[in-house]
Amino acid sequence: MRLRVEFTTEPFDLDEAPAHAVVAREVVEAAELDAVDVGPFGNTAEGSADQVLTAVDALLRRSLEAGATRVSLQVNVVDGRGDTEGER
């Protein structure tokens, strides 16, 4: 099974990336996930269920430890083409 995770960490700082955002980015980039897209207002990545779930666990733990007060995330099951299951 392939999963796509979309997430943001808060609080936002438009002038400089807060420590929790930097940590979240490092976690996702180190997880060897596919299609990683990191941006100032949202981040996405895809991979196998094990890869994504392991990354989400580390993302939550490490970004909260680094000062995040909220982590919003969504996980979707995707097929081999990248379509979300319910959107065909």
Side-chain angles (χ1 to χ4, degrees), residues 3-8 24-25 28-29 33-47 52 59 72 74 76:
L3 299 177
R4 177 185 302 125
V5 61
E6 301 175 44
F7 67 92
T8 58
R25 181 179 331 145
V28 171
E29 290 174 345
L33 298 169
D34 303 326
V36 174
D37 184 19
V38 177
F41 300 109
N43 310 282
T44 61
E46 292 184 18
V52 170
L59 167 74
S72 301
Q74 178 173 310
N76 293 305

Side-chain angles (χ1 to χ4, degrees), residues 12-85:
F12 294 114
D13 183 342
L14 297 178
D15 295 326
E16 184 176 338
H20 58 80
V22 173
V23 166
R25 181 179 331 145
E26 291 171 353
V27 167
V28 171
E29 290 174 345
E32 299 182 20
L33 298 169
D34 303 326
V36 174
D37 184 19
V38 177
F41 300 109
N43 310 282
T44 61
E46 292 184 18
S48 71
D50 285 339
Q51 288 174 312
V52 170
L53 295 174
T54 298
V56 166
D57 177 65
L59 167 74
L60 291 171
R61 292 175 189 276
R62 294 195 49 214
S63 61
L64 291 169
E65 289 170 357
T69 57
R70 172 185 275 182
V71 179
S72 301
L73 65 90
Q74 178 173 310
V75 177
N76 293 305
V77 175
V78 294
D79 69 10
R81 298 176 313 204
D83 298 334
T84 302
E85 290 293 326

